[in-house]
Amino acid sequence: MAGMAPPTRQDTRKFIENLTGTGKSIAVLTSGGDAQGMNAAVRAVVRMGIYVGAKVYFIHEGYQGMVDGGANIKEATWESVSSMLQVGGTVIGSARCKEFRTHEGRLKAALNLVQRGITNLCVIGGDGSLTGANLFREEWSGLLEELQQQGLIDEVAASSNSELHIVGMVGSIDNDFCGTDMTIGTDSALHRIIEVVDAIMTTAQSHQRTFVLEVMGRHCGYLALVSALACGADWVFIPEMPPEDGWEDSMCQKLSENRDYKKRLNIIIVAEGAIDSHNKSITADYIKDLVVRCLGFDTRVTILGHVQRGGTPSAFDRILASRMGVEAVLALLEASANTPACVVSLVGNQAVRLPLMECVQMTQEVQKAMDEKKFDEAVRLRGGSFENNLSTYRLLSYRKSDSEIPNSSFNVAVMNVGAPAAGMNAAVRSAVRVGITEGHKMFAVNDGFEGFYKGQIKEIKWGDVGGWTGQGGSLLGTKRTLPAKHLDKIAEQMRIHNITALLVIGGFETCDRIKQSASGTKRRVFIIETMGGYCGYLASVGGLAAGADAVYIYEEPFDIRDLQSNVEHLTQKMKTSIQRGLVLRNESCNENFTTDFIYQLYSEEGRGVFDCRKNVLGHMQQGGAPSPFDRNFGTKIAAKAMQWITKTLKDSYKGGKVFANSEETACLLGMRRRAMVFQPVSQLRDETDFVHRIPKEQWWLKLRPLMKILAKYKTSYDVSDSGQLEHVSRVRPKATDAI
């Protein structure tokens, strides 16, 4: 892997080289309920801590291990976190600890930390675990005084360990912590739920059944809400949105109407903490009995339970946890006596630091608002991501009658272009239904621009997109034909069908799927070729998620000396207890250093130490059902795009005609840092490398040094974006719609 250029003297940026952990000791523990991705966070803390020169300790069994001490607190090595990235749960254990809630328990814990010189604590858990950590920090100086008075530590030990710094990472599948868009484990839990829903849908369709699924979420309905969005459920029950009185009749009417529209199955999702407007619990069995009694439908109940906590963490959770773990170590290195305990959060695609107790207090305010039946307030306090999910669900779940739909004279067409990508169908479904709700007549264009100029255009109705959310590929069809040669014919088709707006889903080839297991083998290195054209996103982010040793991409040129250095580095690692190596190569990274060349080089140079296998993933990366993230993202971004189209059409409509002369009438919608932004296409010309079909600046390139550090390479890492302790925003700006 080619190294990065060192900073110059004139460079005002902040680099990791300027931060040191020498003489510091960091301990990491997991507490409370386990969540997929916790191990990735532990691995990142250990390796980043060792990288900066600190001693890093595992605390096994959470706070119980801290209280008991002994073998529960053990120094970590680089190799001790090898091959744990893909393991679910937490390998260092988690336990509920009543003793830590007592002063005596915390006194024992303080003694165990001081004896090892540990004054930096990284806690991975829920709000209860983090609140306990903050209390421990507040009591720290008093605990040391008490230990000194009892003769258990001397004055030197008390002085050298006088400050306790704490950084938290939220590990919770419920996504119930305010201040972050996603908590570690949530995406993996959604994968488990959607896997079950997809499996159930096949049997439900066969027998025309209704299924009631209970998912976790005693106090937060995030899992239920996003699952409902991702599978197109008929009804969802969550604690934050109790149904109005008479909901039983409304739900049964909707289920009956859906059957009348020849829908062969019904899916109802209920959070375990669902309540009605009178705070009475709504259970899966009650819903089943209601449907059977009122409609006579064959109805079954499935309670997912701890299945949602199990399995391997998703790529998203591995990357999220790895980024948070590194950020946590940076926060500990930069902490001072006046720095409050903080929590590392995700807002948009940015890692941020927030005061821990501000987040905890807001999380507690959500429950208080729900107890007082201020449900709109509870939803607002949950944050922009939850609010956006809920508003999108409301928009898509209710089919308005003809009298309720506003009168619009606009015809809007939807089409897919470029390579098929998971989530396209969810986006089309969302666009069509939101468009109909807005009063537009919606048209579908088959086979991209080729179908457009050939006239493959037809009106598409609400029921036509039923069941599209979970389908892979592109049901509309897509081809890579460019429009330039056929603009006259396309314009003629737009005149024939009186199309006043066009929503294009696709573009430069995108794909958010990497599937490759390379564990459980003996001393083996896997050479994997990924797709992406000249864009190294898939290879780089896939490498971070899989713990790759080297990733070769077009954006970061490399030569034979870099290859040789990588081989030697990996050979030295494989002579230790590490048994698995992973090398990713983007398909267009270099025309001479092919996958075969790299495979043969590693095979020859690693002879006697490891053997090699190669795999060209090819189009399997575009296949299969879309992930929960892709379904959810496609659904919400298309709904947002359609609402923008409606507003722009109204603003551009004068004298019976639509005037689309300004550059703001042709925009690309995407995420920039923390916000969803509509950017005029004309402005993108200067920002795009059209020859290689990639942006000139790639935000994810900042993650490359992170991947190298976790693979034990010495490199330069720009941490200028880190270090800013922010405050929890009660009302976020409208532009910051966390998708």
Side-chain angles (χ1 to χ4, degrees):
M1 224 180 299
M4 295 182 70
T8 63
R9 284 189 179 179
Q10 292 79 21
D11 205 327
T12 58
R13 293 176 295 168
K14 184 171 62 174
F15 286 83
I16 190 67
E17 297 91 314
N18 302 322
L19 297 173
T20 179
T22 304
K24 296 184 178 181
S25 293
I26 299 171
V28 58
L29 66 90
T30 53
S31 177
D34 65 301
Q36 308 97 318
M38 280 183 165
N39 290 324
V42 170
R43 171 181 175 270
V45 170
V46 169
R47 291 196 166 176
M48 191 64 176
I50 292 173
Y51 182 87
V52 297
K55 272 188 176 182
V56 185
Y57 290 84
F58 293 132
I59 299 180
H60 292 272
E61 311 306 333
Y63 287 119
Q64 191 65 56
M66 196 195 297
V67 171
D68 294 341
N72 289 303
I73 305 177
K74 182 180 178 182
E75 188 172 353
T77 65
W78 191 278
E79 291 76 20
S80 63
V81 292
S82 178
S83 299
M84 69 190 294
L85 191 61
Q86 70 276 13
V87 179
T90 166
V91 298
I92 61 174
S94 178
R96 309 284 180 187
C97 182
K98 291 183 179 178
E99 199 171 354
F100 189 74
R101 297 178 184 176
T102 67
H103 181 78
E104 293 74 17
R106 292 191 291 276
L107 193 65
K108 288 181 185 177
L111 176 61
N112 288 324
L113 295 189
V114 170
Q115 286 173 342
R116 293 162 179 82
I118 298 170
T119 56
N120 296 279
L121 200 55
C122 183
V123 180
I124 308 167
D127 62 335
S129 303
L130 299 181
T131 302
N134 189 69
L135 175 62
F136 190 43
R137 178 181 175 276
E138 289 176 347
E139 291 182 348
W140 184 253
S141 58
L143 293 171
L144 294 193
E145 283 181 26
E146 205 170 327
L147 290 171
Q148 195 175 345
Q149 288 167 4
Q150 294 178 13
L152 296 172
I153 63 172
D154 58 24
E155 188 176 342
V156 174
S159 175
S160 59
N161 296 281
S162 60
E163 296 174 8
L164 178 66
H165 304 300
I166 286 177
V167 173
M169 287 181 275
V170 190
S172 167
I173 68 168
D174 292 334
N175 203 29
D176 55 355
F177 193 80
C178 293
T180 184
D181 289 345
M182 287 288 271
T183 57
I184 296 168
T186 301
D187 187 69
S188 299
L190 286 170
H191 272 74
R192 300 296 93 79
I193 295 169
I194 295 304
E195 285 165 9
V196 172
V197 171
D198 286 350
I200 279 175
M201 288 177 86
T202 57
T203 182
Q205 283 181 324
S206 300
H207 299 278
Q208 293 196 55
R209 284 183 176 142
T210 296
F211 269 87
V212 184
L213 274 78
E214 183 187 288
V215 302
M216 284 186 167
R218 271 179 296 174
H219 305 293
C220 178
Y222 184 89
L223 286 178
L225 177 59
V226 175
S227 299
L229 263 179
C231 72
D234 297 270
W235 205 274
V236 65
F237 294 91
I238 60 173
E240 295 89 346
M241 186 182 68
E244 297 176 357
D245 290 346
W247 64 266
E248 294 91 343
D249 291 338
S250 300
M251 184 188 75
C252 289
Q253 182 181 347
K254 183 178 180 182
L255 297 179
S256 181
E257 287 175 354
N258 285 345
R259 285 291 175 91
D260 291 341
Y261 285 110
K262 298 183 180 179
K263 186 176 180 182
R264 292 181 60 84
L265 79 158
N266 301 112
I267 299 288
I268 301 167
I269 295 181
V270 53
E272 60 182 334
I275 54 173
D276 65 15
S277 57
H278 305 287
N279 276 344
K280 181 183 175 184
S281 177
I282 298 176
T283 66
D285 285 329
Y286 177 78
I287 296 167
K288 173 199 169 182
D289 293 342
L290 174 69
V291 173
V292 171
R293 184 175 70 251
C294 296
L295 299 174
F297 291 171
D298 184 1
T299 306
R300 307 294 169 92
V301 170
T302 298
I303 298 175
L304 298 189
H306 282 76
V307 166
Q308 296 157 88
R309 291 193 187 277
T312 60
S314 67
F316 183 94
D317 272 328
R318 297 185 201 188
I319 295 162
L320 172 67
S322 297
R323 291 179 67 186
M324 284 186 168
V326 168
E327 185 71 22
V329 173
L330 294 176
L332 289 171
L333 292 179
E334 295 176 339
S336 67
N338 299 321
T339 307
C342 75
V343 63
V344 179
S345 300
L346 180 78
V347 180
N349 61 17
Q350 298 293 124
V352 299
R353 301 175 197 171
L354 298 168
L356 189 154
M357 288 314 296
E358 284 187 20
C359 297
V360 169
Q361 286 161 7
M362 186 173 287
T363 303
Q364 292 170 346
E365 284 183 33
V366 174
Q367 189 57 50
K368 182 183 176 185
M370 289 166 61
D371 292 341
E372 295 173 354
K373 298 186 180 181
K374 298 176 180 177
F375 296 107
D376 288 341
E377 173 74 0
V379 168
R380 188 181 64 79
L381 289 169
R382 280 271 183 239
S385 177
F386 191 94
E387 266 190 299
N388 200 23
N389 280 307
L390 185 56
S391 62
T392 305
Y393 176 79
R394 284 171 168 161
L395 200 61
L396 294 171
S397 63
Y398 178 62
R399 179 175 181 167
K400 294 181 179 179
S401 64
D402 291 342
S403 60
E404 294 176 293
I405 294 175
N407 186 25
S408 164
S409 58
F410 301 127
N411 293 352
V412 180
V414 182
M415 64 186 294
N416 293 154
V417 300
M424 275 184 165
N425 297 319
V428 172
R429 169 187 174 268
S430 176
V432 167
R433 292 194 168 178
V434 173
I436 291 171
T437 301
E438 299 276 352
H440 310 315
K441 183 180 281 190
M442 299 300 296
F443 288 84
V445 179
N446 295 109
D447 295 334
F449 286 112
E450 183 175 316
F452 207 162
Y453 82 79
K454 289 181 178 178
Q456 294 172 212
I457 305 166
K458 63 178 181 180
E459 186 177 355
I460 188 165
K461 301 289 186 66
W462 184 282
D464 295 335
V465 291
W468 280 33
T469 309
Q471 299 289 318
S474 167
L475 294 175
L476 288 183
T478 177
K479 293 189 177 180
R480 297 185 179 180
T481 308
L482 296 175
K485 295 180 181 178
H486 310 286
L487 287 177
D488 289 343
K489 293 180 180 178
I490 290 172
E492 178 61 25
Q493 290 297 331
M494 293 186 77
R495 279 192 292 271
I496 291 171
H497 296 278
N498 193 27
I499 292 171
T500 51
L502 180 64
L503 177 60
V504 181
I505 300 168
F508 288 172
E509 288 77 14
T510 58
C511 184
D512 191 26
R513 299 175 60 85
I514 274 204
K515 293 180 178 177
Q516 179 60 40
S517 171
S519 57
T521 53
K522 197 80 171 172
R523 294 285 193 279
R524 182 162 290 171
V525 172
F526 286 79
I527 315 292
I528 309 295
E529 180 184 299
T530 69
M531 294 178 74
Y534 286 94
C535 179
Y537 174 84
L538 265 184
S540 295
V541 179
L544 184 58
D549 297 279
V551 177
Y552 302 109
I553 62 172
Y554 169 79
E555 292 92 340
E556 193 172 282
F558 58 96
D559 57 26
I560 192 67
R561 286 165 297 186
D562 296 312
L563 288 169
Q564 185 62 36
S565 173
N566 296 155
V567 174
E568 291 171 359
H569 184 269
L570 186 53
T571 302
Q572 291 304 311
K573 282 174 67 176
M574 297 293 275
K575 287 179 179 176
T576 67
S577 59
I578 292 173
Q579 299 189 354
R580 193 248 328 156
L582 180 63
V583 176
L584 298 184
R585 177 189 177 274
N586 166 256
E587 60 183 348
S588 301
C589 66
N590 188 295
E591 61 181 344
N592 296 314
F593 299 135
T594 63
T595 301
D596 283 334
F597 177 90
I598 292 174
Y599 166 68
Q600 289 164 5
L601 177 67
Y602 275 79
S603 296
E604 180 62 31
E605 296 296 318
R607 191 184 301 274
V609 180
F610 56 81
D611 63 356
C612 286
R613 296 288 186 272
K614 69 173 179 178
N615 194 338
V616 178
L617 296 184
H619 284 81
M620 69 168 288
Q621 295 160 88
Q622 292 178 323
S627 68
F629 178 89
D630 281 333
R631 300 182 195 197
N632 190 266
F633 188 79
T635 297
K636 289 191 286 185
I637 202 169
K640 194 172 183 66
M642 190 53 63
Q643 290 173 322
W644 177 87
I645 282 175
T646 298
K647 181 180 183 303
T648 307
L649 280 171
K650 289 178 179 176
D651 292 345
S652 308
Y653 187 70
K654 293 170 186 172
K657 291 184 178 181
V658 174
F659 293 88
N661 303 322
S662 69
E663 64 175 21
E664 284 79 17
T665 56
C667 285
L668 175 74
L669 173 59
M671 178 171 283
R672 287 216 165 187
R673 294 178 68 86
R674 305 185 191 182
M676 293 303 298
V677 176
F678 289 94
Q679 186 170 9
V681 174
S682 58
Q683 293 178 9
L684 295 173
R685 290 173 188 158
D686 296 334
E687 300 176 18
T688 305
D689 176 354
F690 284 98
V691 174
H692 299 103
R693 299 164 68 83
I694 55 176
K696 290 179 181 176
E697 288 189 20
Q698 305 266 40
W699 69 269
W700 50 265
L701 284 173
K702 287 188 175 182
L703 301 180
R704 295 271 300 172
L706 178 65
M707 181 183 61
K708 295 178 187 180
I709 287 169
L710 297 179
K712 213 173 184 179
Y713 283 87
K714 285 291 180 184
T715 188
S716 186
Y717 181 29
D718 182 359
V719 293
S720 304
D721 288 342
S722 302
Q724 297 299 316
L725 187 66
E726 303 182 17
H727 292 279
V728 180
S729 173
R730 291 183 174 272
V731 183
R732 287 187 186 162
K734 269 199 167 181
T736 312
D737 283 338
I739 289 290

